[in-house]
Amino acid sequence: MSNAQQKKYLVTGGAGYVGSVVAAHLLEAGHRVTVLDDLSTGHRAGVPEGAEFIEGRIQDAAKWLDPSYDGVLHFAAFSQVGESVVNPEKYWVNNVGGTTELLAAMRDAGVRTLVFSSTAATYGEPDQVPITEDLPTAPTNPYGASKLAVDHMISGECAAHGLAAVSLRYFNVAGAYGAYGERHDPESHLIPLVLQVAQGKREAISVFGDDYATPDGTCVRDYIHVADLADAHLLALGAASPGEHLICNLGNGNGFSVREVIETVRQVTGHPIPEIAAPRRGGDPAVLVASAERAKERLGWRPTRADLAGIVADAWEFAQRRESQ
Ligand SMILES: NC(=O)c1ccc[n+]([C@@H]2O[C@H](COP(=O)([O-])OP(=O)(O)OC[C@H]3O[C@@H](n4cnc5c(N)ncnc54)[C@H](O)[C@@H]3O)[C@@H](O)[C@H]2O)c1
């Protein structure tokens, strides 16, 4: 890559799951990367080799952002739905308050390109699938509401100050990319939880509701490989246009039920994975599947790792790699 093509990016939350994978992709594409992460839920080992690391908060981004940066990829946030219900202020302060400071620092430094990790949780429980970006947003928890508030802030920043921004609304991110994978604590995502059963760390997997209006009665979700997601971020940097806030869903457009995920983990790991039938959880819609047509059209994005067995196999390899470290 020539010096003219090489760009310099600030990756907030780059010690976390998705941020570390995207940072690794940016480095592989020949760019310079600075990770800004306070390690509140991330891990120092998640920062890819070759990235500069600043242990700090987005609230203090003004200390480090300067005009040498070509853009910011903003992953830093708290993202536990259950925690956000019992401690909503934590989510407003960090996700919304922190991003206010980050946007101000970008404005002051003249850094005018942003890619933001938004979420399917901004839609709440839509009565239509696949979910398109023009459906009403009605988050059902403070986490989703805080992410939607940030989307609104970014829209204002684009309109008033010419920011070039893309919000990517992820559905269920899964899989791993070599040394970079999912290590949330507590873990709330289905695939790593089922893999914990295969590793003997948990006795069984709870299935919350098996009487939904779906083919096998369990909830259906759209799982997207984290490396496909990373590809979309690099494309989004190229598609961002001054004054425009582009919002794109990111999912495969294919739903898999909880039972299908469990069965796939059985096949990949060879473990019997005992199940426990549990009551439905409030606020769990039967089916959440993305329409990613806009991402395909506007970003030129195509998922290439949509196969559930491949997603699970990559997550399993990462889980075993961690075990052996
Ligand atoms: N994982 C998913 O399935 C999923 C789905 C939809 C949206 N998202 C969004 O993607 C982003 C990344 O999610 P993840 O699963 O990688 O989470 P994660 O917890 O692994 O990563 C978040 C990172 O941000 C850091 N951080 C948090 N607050 C910070 C602050 N104030 N200053 C600096 N660093 C801070 C944490 O230490 C962590 O490393 C989040 O914004 C999340 O809302 C994730």
Side-chain angles (χ1 to χ4, degrees), residues 16-18 37-38 40-42 58-59 75 94 143 147 173 184:
Y17 172 39
V18 184
D37 197 301
D38 64 3
S40 49
T41 61
I58 52 171
Q59 284 80 348
F75 302 90
N94 197 45
Y143 162 64
K147 295 299 247 186
V173 190
H184 298 116

Side-chain angles (χ1 to χ4, degrees), residues 12-19 36-43 56-59 74-79 94-95 98 116-120 143 147 168-174 182-184 189:
T12 76
Y17 172 39
V18 184
L36 172 63
D37 197 301
D38 64 3
L39 301 182
S40 49
T41 61
H43 309 270
R57 305 173 73 217
I58 52 171
Q59 284 80 348
H74 178 31
F75 302 90
F78 294 143
S79 59
N94 197 45
N95 297 0
F116 171 61
S117 305
S118 188
T119 168
Y143 162 64
K147 295 299 247 186
L168 299 174
R169 289 192 170 154
Y170 317 159
F171 281 62
N172 289 50
V173 190
E182 201 163 3
R183 4 179 351 190
H184 298 116
H189 294 156

